[in-house]
């Protein structure tokens, strides 16, 4: 498992900057928003939490189709499926690798980009915490979607159509935590709900992903 | 005699062929009676005027939109556990029907919302969760269309339906948390006396029965079409080999 994780991380970091692409996209999105809605600080700080959450969600989408596609094409996915390591563990490791290369950097970058959007200082810790708690679900759901569409030649667009509705609960609770943090309300409830969804996803989705992979490889 | 006998496509075709005209005509009669009674023979609401009559399309369509997804969930489970092809094909057949009902509920809701709430659309929990349900339907149908091997397609869409159901329910309650709405509570309930007045209630029940029967008829018809298409593909493949 550790070897697989190291291999996936090395592939993500070394193969043509795919790893930084998500971050760069996140940056550009945050820079573009003020051009769209105008530079007034009041409006920006009101929508900052939502924008950063939606941005993180879209940046996660970018690298999803790479999770299984290359392995599927060069046959290493078949090798992994016949290896002694259970396919559920492979699915979990893939999700962890995806999270380490997108979710974690996004969570670290979001408070900085929040400054660009004039976010409330009180909301910063909640933004970081909710992204840290929520992005694992995005990676897990994305891995599941990638497993569903791995056999398709042009699965990228379909993948976003399948995965985005699944992101809704996480987005709602995550953005709500940031809003409540900014308004000085109790933000612990939505944050705990995000954590709950993540724990639930950790428990369920590797199995669903492995099932989908087995069906695709049959 | 058990329900699993209908897993045999031949048995299913026989039985559904006999059943289909009856269900179809019953649906037509219920719809004509329910909608005709509702549209022309009920009084106008003292506050809402004639717009109240949208209820005879809106409520049954919304009800069936959810029940269609539930039916797909059950048939997907049956496919995963027992691998009966009719079950998977029924799920495939139900999806566009359910999506259409969802769209009908959304559009009639918008038409009703415009005069009553002064807006076509509000980010109300019920409206939003229906929109999300519609997106789930779209993804499900798109996945069916995208995969060529029919068995793989059935497998993958079943898994998507199971995971999707869990997250659709999560979204339903997440949306409640996110915004309080304009939409009223339940129009129908078994135990409480809060549902609509009797003059509206009786034609509404008949319309609902009509929509249920219409759904059953459409799903039977579409499942039969899918089975025939599957047979045709098999025949063509056999001819090519010979």
């Amino acid at each position: 498992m550790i070897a697989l994780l190291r291999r996936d991380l090395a592939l993500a970091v070394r193969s043509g900057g795919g790893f930084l692409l998500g971050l760069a996209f996140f940056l550009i999105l945050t820079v573009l928003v003020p051009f769209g809605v105008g530079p007034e600080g009041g409006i920006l700080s009101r929508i900052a939490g939502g924008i950063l959450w939606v941005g993180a969600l879209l940046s996660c989408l970018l690298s999803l189709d790479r999770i299984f596609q290359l392995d599927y094409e060069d046959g290493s996915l078949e090798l992994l499926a016949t290896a002694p390591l259970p396919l559920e563990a492979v699915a979990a490791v893939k999700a962890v690798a995806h999270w380490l290369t997108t979710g974690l950097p996004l969570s670290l970058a979001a408070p900085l980009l929040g400054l660009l959007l004039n976010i409330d200082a009180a909301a910063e810790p909640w933004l970081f915490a909710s992204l840290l708690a929520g992005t694992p679900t995005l990676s897990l759901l994305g891995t599941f979607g990638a497993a569903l569409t791995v056999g398709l030649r042009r699965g990228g667009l379909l993948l976003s159509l399948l995965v985005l509705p699944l992101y809704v609960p996480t987005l709602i609770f995550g953005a709500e935590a940031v809003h409540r943090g900014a308004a000085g309300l109790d933000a612990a409830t939505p944050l705990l709900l995000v954590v709950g969804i993540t724990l639930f996803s950790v428990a369920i989705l590797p199995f669903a992903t492995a099932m989908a992979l087995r069906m695709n490889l049959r | 005699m058990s329900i699993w006998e209908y897993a045999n496509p031949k048995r299913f075709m026989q039985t559904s062929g006999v059943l289909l005209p009856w269900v179809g005509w019953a649906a037509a009669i219920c719809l004509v009676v329910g909608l005709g009674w509702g549209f022309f023979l009920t009084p106008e609401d003292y506050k809402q005027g004639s717009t109240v009559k949208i209820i005879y399309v809106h409520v049954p369509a919304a009800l069936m939109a959810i029940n269609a997804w539930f039916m797909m969930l059950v048939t997907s489970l049956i496919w995963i556990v027992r691998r009966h092809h009719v079950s998977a094909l029924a799920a495939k057949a139900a999806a566009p029907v359910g999506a259409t009902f969802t769209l009908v509920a959304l559009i009639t809701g918008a038409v009703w919302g415009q005069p009553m709430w002064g807006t076509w659309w509000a980010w109300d929990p019920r409206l939003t969760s229906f929109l999300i349900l519609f997106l789930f339907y779209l993804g499900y149908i798109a996945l069916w269309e995208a995969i060529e091997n029919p068995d793989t397609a059935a497998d993958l869409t079943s898994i998507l339906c199971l995971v999707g159901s869990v997250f659709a329910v999560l979204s339903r309650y997440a949306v409640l948390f996110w915004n309080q709405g304009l939409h009223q509570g339940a129009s129908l309930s078994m135990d409480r006396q809060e549902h609509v007045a009797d003059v509206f209630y009786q034609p509404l029940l008949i319309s609902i029965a009509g929509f249920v029967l219409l759904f059953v008829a459409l799903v039977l018809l579409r499942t039969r079409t899918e089975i025939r298409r599957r047979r045709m593909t098999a025949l063509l493949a056999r001819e090519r080999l010979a």
Side-chain angles (χ1 to χ4, degrees):
Chain A
M1 276 178 90
I2 304 289
L4 182 61
L5 183 63
R6 289 171 63 121
R7 166 182 172 275
D8 274 3
L9 286 179
L11 276 178
V13 173
R14 286 176 203 158
S15 67
F19 155 61
L20 289 172
L21 211 62
L23 264 183
F25 178 79
F26 194 35
L27 173 68
I28 288 177
L29 198 82
T30 347
V31 173
L32 283 183
V33 166
F35 295 133
V37 300
E40 296 92 348
I43 298 177
L44 282 180
S45 62
R46 263 201 68 196
I47 60 170
I51 293 294
L52 287 170
W53 254 98
V54 172
L57 214 120
L58 294 177
S59 319
C60 262
L61 270 187
L62 278 185
S63 46
L64 284 184
D65 55 340
R66 300 167 63 106
I67 297 182
F68 290 120
Q69 198 63 44
L70 294 175
D71 285 356
Y72 180 74
E73 277 163 12
D74 67 8
S76 39
L77 199 57
E78 268 107 351
L79 280 182
L80 285 173
T82 48
L85 192 65
L87 205 52
E88 284 80 4
V90 174
V93 167
K94 290 278 182 184
V96 170
H98 181 260
W99 181 72
L100 285 176
T101 50
T102 54
L104 188 60
L106 286 178
S107 316
L108 292 171
L112 279 177
L113 295 178
L115 294 177
L116 282 179
L117 293 178
N118 193 22
I119 198 172
D120 224 320
E124 290 273 30
W126 294 110
L127 177 65
F128 178 64
S130 66
L131 276 172
L132 203 61
T135 41
T137 310
L138 304 187
S139 292
L140 283 159
L141 281 172
T143 320
F144 169 64
L148 282 181
T149 55
V150 70
L152 303 172
R153 272 179 300 281
R154 280 184 297 278
L157 203 59
L158 179 64
L159 179 59
S160 10
L161 182 62
L162 295 181
V163 165
L164 280 178
L166 297 172
Y167 280 176
V168 170
T170 317
L171 172 64
I172 289 177
F173 289 130
E176 184 70 21
V178 183
H179 286 311
R180 291 199 177 184
L185 299 168
D186 175 31
T189 315
L191 187 65
L192 284 177
L193 286 166
V194 171
V195 175
I197 292 177
T198 301
L199 290 177
F200 178 74
S201 309
V202 169
I204 300 290
L205 285 173
F207 295 94
T209 311
M211 246 173 119
L213 278 180
R214 278 199 195 98
M215 289 161 179
N216 257 322
L217 291 174
R218 195 172 49 218
Chain B
M1 181 69 196
S2 86
I3 192 172
W4 301 116
E5 282 187 20
Y6 297 103
N8 180 348
K10 195 154 173 289
R11 272 304 297 272
F12 177 82
M13 289 299 270
Q14 277 173 0
T15 317
S16 63
V18 176
L19 224 55
L20 187 56
W22 289 94
V23 178
W25 279 108
I29 292 169
C30 279
L31 281 177
V32 167
V33 171
L35 294 182
W37 183 0
F39 285 158
F40 301 114
L41 302 174
T42 55
E44 298 190 345
D45 187 77
Y46 80 102
K47 238 190 262 171
Q48 307 195 29
S50 55
T51 56
V52 72
K53 293 178 178 179
I54 297 173
I55 196 174
Y56 302 113
V57 181
H58 181 71
V59 171
L63 193 75
M64 286 322 291
I66 297 170
N67 285 345
W69 185 274
F70 185 66
M71 182 219 130
M72 280 157 57
L73 173 64
V74 172
T75 45
S76 299
L77 260 179
I78 293 175
W79 163 252
I80 290 180
V81 176
R82 303 197 56 152
R83 307 197 75 76
H84 294 316
H85 284 268
V86 174
S87 175
L89 291 179
K92 182 185 183 185
V97 184
T100 314
F101 278 139
T102 316
L103 199 60
V104 167
L106 282 172
I107 290 174
T108 51
V111 171
W112 199 356
Q114 212 285 326
M116 286 305 110
W117 300 337
T119 172
W120 296 99
W121 180 259
W123 289 98
D124 163 277
R126 284 196 180 213
L127 278 66
T128 313
S129 34
F130 254 75
L131 195 60
I132 297 169
L133 180 66
F134 185 63
L135 294 179
F136 273 110
Y137 272 121
L138 284 188
Y140 181 86
I141 297 170
L143 191 61
W144 259 113
E145 294 301 320
I147 303 171
E148 275 159 28
N149 181 343
D151 276 7
T152 317
D155 281 336
L156 294 177
T157 48
S158 307
I159 295 279
L160 177 68
C161 185
L162 296 188
V163 174
S165 304
V166 171
F167 279 82
V169 172
L170 267 180
S171 314
R172 174 77 185 90
Y173 290 99
V175 164
L176 272 183
F177 181 85
W178 166 71
N179 195 358
Q180 298 306 313
L182 289 166
H183 201 292
Q184 61 167 339
S187 311
L188 304 169
S189 57
M190 291 297 164
D191 49 74
R192 279 174 294 173
Q193 289 299 309
E194 66 172 30
H195 57 62
V196 291
D198 277 352
V199 265
F200 301 120
Y201 188 56
Q202 288 146 0
L204 181 58
L205 280 189
I206 296 177
S207 310
I208 288 177
F211 269 76
V212 172
L213 289 169
L214 176 67
F215 175 73
V216 173
L218 284 175
V219 169
L220 281 182
L221 184 68
R222 291 181 55 90
T223 313
R224 287 168 62 82
T225 316
E226 289 292 338
I227 291 175
R228 289 214 173 100
R229 184 187 289 164
R230 189 67 71 85
R231 282 180 181 166
M232 211 168 67
T233 326
L235 277 179
L236 284 177
R238 205 176 301 158
E239 246 173 44
R240 220 172 293 133
L241 280 179

